[in-house]
PDB file of all heavy atoms in Angstrom:
ATOM      1  N   ALA A1656     114.911 -53.620  52.068  1.00  0.00           N
ATOM      2  CA  ALA A1656     116.039 -53.218  51.230  1.00  0.00           C
ATOM      3  C   ALA A1656     115.742 -51.915  50.488  1.00  0.00           C
ATOM      4  O   ALA A1656     116.587 -51.010  50.415  1.00  0.00           O
ATOM      5  CB  ALA A1656     116.378 -54.323  50.236  1.00  0.00           C
ATOM      6  N   SER A1657     114.528 -51.810  49.933  1.00  0.00           N
ATOM      7  CA  SER A1657     114.159 -50.586  49.210  1.00  0.00           C
ATOM      8  C   SER A1657     113.989 -49.411  50.163  1.00  0.00           C
ATOM      9  O   SER A1657     114.308 -48.273  49.822  1.00  0.00           O
ATOM     10  CB  SER A1657     112.860 -50.814  48.425  1.00  0.00           C
ATOM     11  OG  SER A1657     113.057 -51.735  47.376  1.00  0.00           O
ATOM     12  N   THR A1658     113.511 -49.682  51.370  1.00  0.00           N
ATOM     13  CA  THR A1658     113.406 -48.623  52.380  1.00  0.00           C
ATOM     14  C   THR A1658     114.776 -48.031  52.673  1.00  0.00           C
ATOM     15  O   THR A1658     114.941 -46.808  52.757  1.00  0.00           O
ATOM     16  CB  THR A1658     112.780 -49.181  53.669  1.00  0.00           C
ATOM     17  OG1 THR A1658     111.472 -49.672  53.389  1.00  0.00           O
ATOM     18  CG2 THR A1658     112.692 -48.099  54.745  1.00  0.00           C
ATOM     19  N   THR A1659     115.768 -48.916  52.832  1.00  0.00           N
ATOM     20  CA  THR A1659     117.138 -48.460  53.076  1.00  0.00           C
ATOM     21  C   THR A1659     117.666 -47.653  51.906  1.00  0.00           C
ATOM     22  O   THR A1659     118.294 -46.595  52.087  1.00  0.00           O
ATOM     23  CB  THR A1659     118.060 -49.663  53.336  1.00  0.00           C
ATOM     24  OG1 THR A1659     117.574 -50.388  54.472  1.00  0.00           O
ATOM     25  CG2 THR A1659     119.492 -49.214  53.585  1.00  0.00           C
ATOM     26  N   LYS A1660     117.433 -48.145  50.669  1.00  0.00           N
ATOM     27  CA  LYS A1660     117.932 -47.456  49.478  1.00  0.00           C
ATOM     28  C   LYS A1660     117.311 -46.068  49.351  1.00  0.00           C
ATOM     29  O   LYS A1660     118.006 -45.081  49.078  1.00  0.00           O
ATOM     30  CB  LYS A1660     117.610 -48.290  48.227  1.00  0.00           C
ATOM     31  CG  LYS A1660     117.971 -47.628  46.908  1.00  0.00           C
ATOM     32  CD  LYS A1660     119.465 -47.355  46.775  1.00  0.00           C
ATOM     33  CE  LYS A1660     119.798 -46.731  45.427  1.00  0.00           C
ATOM     34  NZ  LYS A1660     121.234 -46.411  45.284  1.00  0.00           N
ATOM     35  N   LEU A1661     116.001 -45.973  49.551  1.00  0.00           N
ATOM     36  CA  LEU A1661     115.349 -44.667  49.463  1.00  0.00           C
ATOM     37  C   LEU A1661     115.839 -43.728  50.563  1.00  0.00           C
ATOM     38  O   LEU A1661     115.936 -42.515  50.353  1.00  0.00           O
ATOM     39  CB  LEU A1661     113.831 -44.826  49.541  1.00  0.00           C
ATOM     40  CG  LEU A1661     113.146 -45.562  48.377  1.00  0.00           C
ATOM     41  CD1 LEU A1661     111.635 -45.523  48.534  1.00  0.00           C
ATOM     42  CD2 LEU A1661     113.553 -44.990  47.037  1.00  0.00           C
ATOM     43  N   GLY A1662     116.174 -44.297  51.710  1.00  0.00           N
ATOM     44  CA  GLY A1662     116.735 -43.491  52.789  1.00  0.00           C
ATOM     45  C   GLY A1662     118.044 -42.853  52.390  1.00  0.00           C
ATOM     46  O   GLY A1662     118.317 -41.689  52.718  1.00  0.00           O
ATOM     47  N   THR A1663     118.874 -43.606  51.651  1.00  0.00           N
ATOM     48  CA  THR A1663     120.168 -43.056  51.199  1.00  0.00           C
ATOM     49  C   THR A1663     119.960 -41.946  50.168  1.00  0.00           C
ATOM     50  O   THR A1663     120.843 -41.106  49.971  1.00  0.00           O
ATOM     51  CB  THR A1663     121.061 -44.148  50.594  1.00  0.00           C
ATOM     52  OG1 THR A1663     120.428 -44.687  49.416  1.00  0.00           O
ATOM     53  CG2 THR A1663     121.314 -45.265  51.593  1.00  0.00           C
ATOM     54  N   LEU A1664     118.807 -41.952  49.506  1.00  0.00           N
ATOM     55  CA  LEU A1664     118.492 -40.901  48.535  1.00  0.00           C
ATOM     56  C   LEU A1664     117.808 -39.703  49.189  1.00  0.00           C
ATOM     57  O   LEU A1664     117.418 -38.762  48.491  1.00  0.00           O
ATOM     58  CB  LEU A1664     117.589 -41.469  47.422  1.00  0.00           C
ATOM     59  CG  LEU A1664     118.224 -42.512  46.489  1.00  0.00           C
ATOM     60  CD1 LEU A1664     117.173 -43.101  45.555  1.00  0.00           C
ATOM     61  CD2 LEU A1664     119.370 -41.904  45.682  1.00  0.00           C
ATOM     62  N   GLY A1665     117.642 -39.753  50.517  1.00  0.00           N
ATOM     63  CA  GLY A1665     117.086 -38.614  51.242  1.00  0.00           C
ATOM     64  C   GLY A1665     115.582 -38.637  51.399  1.00  0.00           C
ATOM     65  O   GLY A1665     114.983 -37.607  51.741  1.00  0.00           O
ATOM     66  N   PHE A1666     114.946 -39.784  51.165  1.00  0.00           N
ATOM     67  CA  PHE A1666     113.498 -39.880  51.267  1.00  0.00           C
ATOM     68  C   PHE A1666     113.039 -39.929  52.718  1.00  0.00           C
ATOM     69  O   PHE A1666     113.693 -40.518  53.580  1.00  0.00           O
ATOM     70  CB  PHE A1666     113.004 -41.167  50.587  1.00  0.00           C
ATOM     71  CG  PHE A1666     112.797 -41.055  49.094  1.00  0.00           C
ATOM     72  CD1 PHE A1666     113.873 -40.857  48.236  1.00  0.00           C
ATOM     73  CD2 PHE A1666     111.530 -41.164  48.554  1.00  0.00           C
ATOM     74  CE1 PHE A1666     113.688 -40.782  46.876  1.00  0.00           C
ATOM     75  CE2 PHE A1666     111.327 -41.083  47.181  1.00  0.00           C
ATOM     76  CZ  PHE A1666     112.409 -40.890  46.335  1.00  0.00           C
ATOM     77  N   ASN A1667     111.862 -39.357  52.959  1.00  0.00           N
ATOM     78  CA  ASN A1667     111.080 -39.646  54.155  1.00  0.00           C
ATOM     79  C   ASN A1667     110.147 -40.800  53.823  1.00  0.00           C
ATOM     80  O   ASN A1667     109.608 -40.856  52.705  1.00  0.00           O
ATOM     81  CB  ASN A1667     110.234 -38.447  54.586  1.00  0.00           C
ATOM     82  CG  ASN A1667     111.032 -37.457  55.418  1.00  0.00           C
ATOM     83  OD1 ASN A1667     112.086 -37.793  55.943  1.00  0.00           O
ATOM     84  ND2 ASN A1667     110.523 -36.245  55.535  1.00  0.00           N
TER      85      ASN A1667
END
Side-chain angles (χ1 to χ4, degrees):
S1657 293
T1658 299
T1659 301
K1660 175 62 178 178
L1661 294 185
T1663 63
L1664 293 173
F1666 276 66
N1667 277 342

